[in-house]
């Protein structure tokens, strides 16, 4: 009986040891799960205005990539499958949450990551976007913005994405001059002549390339006969030609050469575009997409 008691005690001790070992393993696994930290995204637009207003719009979606820190953005360097994940600001307040909760982006348990984000979210091929500004009817859909944040980990779960405009914005405030009335401008259409309308944007480098498909771009009529806007691809040309057509059957279109290069992130706001029977007089301001305004007088013949 004494021998059996000893054997029983040994068996019990071994069983307890196995159970303790399993319990410790579970604790490690559970700790690992508890260490998963969701990224907390907020954002700001690093300039004072947008094509469609000064803030985010409710329902705006951005695409987010989480990449190995210090490595070029590519599918091979993506962490935790965070490849072009759609996040939305439901209230338009700049606080973003995943469109699909199952795709919530979590920091890796170990290591540091970089974030790449852009607006508006769309299909991406090889970390590149296809740009097309031919249709100006929905400017939010073509108002490309980009953000990159580096060196983040789960110890810093709050990530602020600072977005900057990547294209160029023209705003024309039109009014009647000599020989014309507001009624004469009711059917006015405005075109920016001979613009490249397609290009490729590389999210890894933040650069545009492959400009193509040259065409006249019809500016959006925000207020008929009064305000016209366009978002265009930045261009190396030192000027661009703008055509004003009254569409009345007898006045030839007015033509004005805008004497400046279209630069990324710049807004060209011409606050006084006076159309007269003899010419178009133009004044405006030019500044970063905080707003660029040219107060000098320009004449279209």
């Amino acid at each position: 009986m004494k021998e059996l008691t000893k054997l029983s005690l040994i068996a019990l001790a071994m069983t307890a040891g196995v159970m303790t070992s399993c319990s410790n393993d579970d604790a490690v696994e559970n700790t690992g799960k508890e260490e998963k930290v969701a990224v907390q995204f907020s954002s700001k637009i690093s300039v004072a205005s947008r094509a469609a207003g000064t803030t985010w719009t409710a329902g705006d979606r951005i695409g987010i990539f989480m990449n190995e820190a210090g490595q070029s953005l590519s599918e091979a360097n993506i962490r935790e499958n965070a490849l072009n994940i759609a996040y939305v600001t439901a209230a338009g307040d700049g606080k973003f949450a995943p469109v699909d909760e199952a795709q919530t982006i979590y920091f890796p348990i170990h290591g540091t990551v970089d974030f790449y984000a852009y607006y508006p979210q769309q299909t991406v091929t090889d970390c590149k976007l296809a740009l097309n500004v031919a249709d100006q009817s929905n400017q939010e859909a073509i108002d490309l913005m980009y953000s990159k944040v580096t060196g983040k980990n789960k110890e810093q779960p709050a990530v602020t994405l600072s977005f900057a405009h990547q294209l160029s914005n023209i705003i024309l405030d039109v009014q009647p001059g000599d020989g014309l009335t507001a009624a004469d401008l009711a059917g006015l259409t405005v075109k920016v002549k001979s613009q490249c309308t397609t290009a490729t944007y590389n999210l890894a480098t933040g650069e545009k390339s492959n400009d193509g498909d040259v065409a006249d771009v019809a500016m959006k009529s925000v207020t008929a006969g009064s305000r016209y806007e366009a978002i265009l691809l930045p261009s190396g040309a030192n000027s661009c030609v703008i055509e004003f057509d009254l569409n009345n059957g007898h006045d030839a279109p007015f033509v004005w050469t805008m004497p400046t290069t279209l630069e990324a992130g710049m807004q060209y706001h011409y606050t006084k575009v006076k159309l007269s029977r003899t010419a178009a007089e133009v004044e405006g301001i030019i500044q970063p997409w905080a707003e660029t305004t040219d107060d000098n007088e320009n004449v279209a013949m």
Side-chain angles (χ1 to χ4, degrees):
M1 292 295 292
K2 289 182 179 180
E3 289 298 318
L4 287 173
T5 302
K6 288 181 180 180
L7 289 172
S8 297
L9 289 172
I10 292 171
L12 286 170
M14 291 177 66
T15 301
V18 171
M19 291 177 67
T20 301
S21 175
C22 291
S23 176
N24 288 339
D25 288 344
D26 287 342
V28 171
E29 290 178 6
N30 289 334
T31 299
K33 291 178 181 177
E34 291 170 0
E35 286 180 354
K36 288 185 68 176
V37 177
V39 185
Q40 301 167 16
F41 289 110
S42 63
S43 70
K44 61 181 180 179
I45 301 173
S46 62
V47 291
S49 65
R50 291 184 59 196
T54 58
T55 61
W56 293 103
T57 298
D60 276 347
R61 295 188 181 193
I62 59 176
I64 302 177
F65 301 74
M66 186 168 68
N67 201 67
E68 185 72 30
Q71 301 298 312
S72 177
L73 176 64
S74 69
E75 293 188 19
N77 292 326
I78 290 294
R79 300 294 305 272
E80 308 298 318
N81 297 315
L83 177 67
N84 195 27
I85 304 301
Y87 269 59
V88 62
T89 175
D93 56 4
K95 296 179 181 179
F96 283 86
V99 172
D100 180 354
E101 287 189 11
Q103 291 190 310
T104 299
I105 298 175
Y106 290 90
F107 282 103
I109 300 300
H110 303 290
T112 304
V113 292
D114 297 336
F115 292 96
Y116 296 77
Y118 71 95
Y119 169 89
Q121 199 262 352
Q122 59 186 273
T123 300
V124 171
T125 302
D126 193 26
C127 299
K128 295 181 176 67
L129 303 175
L131 304 181
N132 191 326
V133 299
D135 183 358
Q136 295 285 318
S137 60
N138 182 1
Q139 294 196 319
E140 285 190 340
I142 58 175
D143 182 16
L144 175 65
M145 294 190 291
Y146 176 74
S147 176
K148 179 181 177 181
V149 179
T150 61
K152 294 294 184 178
N153 57 50
K154 64 184 178 66
E155 304 302 324
Q156 304 168 304
V159 174
T160 300
L161 300 169
S162 181
F163 286 89
H165 292 276
Q166 300 302 302
L167 304 186
S168 305
N169 182 215
I170 299 176
I171 301 175
L172 304 177
D173 291 326
V174 184
Q175 56 187 275
D178 293 341
L180 293 175
T181 66
D184 293 323
L185 303 185
L188 177 68
T189 56
V190 184
K191 293 180 181 179
V192 186
K193 306 288 284 185
S194 302
Q195 295 296 298
C196 289
T197 60
T198 60
T200 299
Y201 189 84
N202 190 333
L203 293 167
T205 62
E207 296 177 347
K208 175 182 67 70
S209 62
N210 301 325
D211 290 11
D213 294 340
V214 177
D216 295 346
V217 175
M219 298 184 71
K220 180 179 180 179
S221 175
V222 179
T223 304
S226 178
R227 173 166 282 210
Y228 297 81
E229 297 189 20
I231 293 177
L232 302 172
L233 300 177
S235 168
N238 58 14
S239 65
C240 61
V241 175
I242 299 179
E243 179 184 274
F244 303 86
D245 193 344
L246 297 178
N247 294 295
N248 60 13
H250 56 269
D251 278 300
F254 300 95
V255 176
W256 172 58
T257 299
M258 179 177 158
T260 188
T261 300
L262 294 178
E263 298 181 23
M266 299 292 282
Q267 184 182 82
Y268 304 83
H269 188 180
Y270 293 89
T271 56
K272 293 181 181 179
V273 180
K274 283 189 176 182
L275 298 183
S276 303
R277 290 292 183 192
T278 55
E281 300 175 0
V282 182
E283 299 177 2
I285 300 171
I286 302 174
Q287 47 196 20
W289 205 320
E291 193 176 10
T292 296
T293 309
D294 179 354
D295 284 322
N296 297 317
E297 185 173 301
N298 302 277
V299 178
M301 305 299 290

